[in-house]
Amino acid sequence: MLSGLITMRRKLVAGNWKMHGALAQNAELLDAVCNGMASMPSVDCAVCVPFPYLSQAQQKLSGSNVKWGAQDVHQLDKGAYTGEVSAAMLRDFGCSYVIVGHSERRAFYAESSHLVAEKFLAAQQAG
């Protein structure tokens, strides 16, 4: 009987870069995060970078114990939505995470709970 068994969830530390970054600075930061997390195998770590830096994050973090993700996702798979990024596009960059429902997007762009739910479903369906 397993009634006394306690299961602990792994902790996740995720950093959101917001609208900051430059290639050289990013390289230094990603190296520092990888080095810092190497001594913390019981904690999951992710960085959510601006869209233009997803390729850099993928290249620098592949093979490390640090995952990467994006800061937003569009709720639809494709279409004429200039500047938007689909979940399938994020998957192409190896993203494990995406932020949906961030307070800033809800406040500045009036994203509703309904829209956040649609974005969540799009991300979930894309894996």
Side-chain angles (χ1 to χ4, degrees), residues 18-19 47 56 59 62 67 78 90 97 99 118 121:
K18 305 200 181 260
M19 198 171 70
V47 291
Q56 183 185 28
Q59 291 172 6
S62 289
K67 304 295 184 198
K78 57 185 164 184
L90 299 180
Y97 297 94
I99 299 171
E118 288 180 333
L121 288 174

Side-chain angles (χ1 to χ4, degrees), residues 31-44:
D31 286 341
V33 170
C34 283
N35 292 335
M37 292 309 299
S39 64
M40 302 177 73
S42 63
V43 176
D44 291 331

Side-chain angles (χ1 to χ4, degrees), residues 1-7:
M1 187 155 129
L2 300 175
S3 61
L5 185 64
I6 298 174
T7 304

Side-chain angles (χ1 to χ4, degrees), residues 52-119:
Y53 301 124
L54 285 174
S55 178
Q56 183 185 28
Q58 181 181 30
Q59 291 172 6
K60 294 287 283 180
L61 299 176
S62 289
S64 77
N65 63 342
V66 178
K67 304 295 184 198
W68 59 95
Q71 297 177 343
D72 192 26
V73 65
H74 196 273
Q75 68 274 20
L76 298 176
D77 292 336
K78 57 185 164 184
Y81 303 101
T82 303
E84 295 295 330
V85 177
S86 73
M89 292 173 175
L90 299 180
R91 188 180 57 232
D92 280 346
F93 282 97
C95 290
S96 298
Y97 297 94
V98 63
I99 299 171
V100 296
H102 194 288
S103 60
E104 291 169 0
R105 293 210 51 95
R106 292 173 71 89
F108 299 148
Y109 301 102
E111 290 190 356
S112 66
S113 294
H114 179 77
L115 178 59
V116 170
E118 288 180 333
K119 288 181 174 194

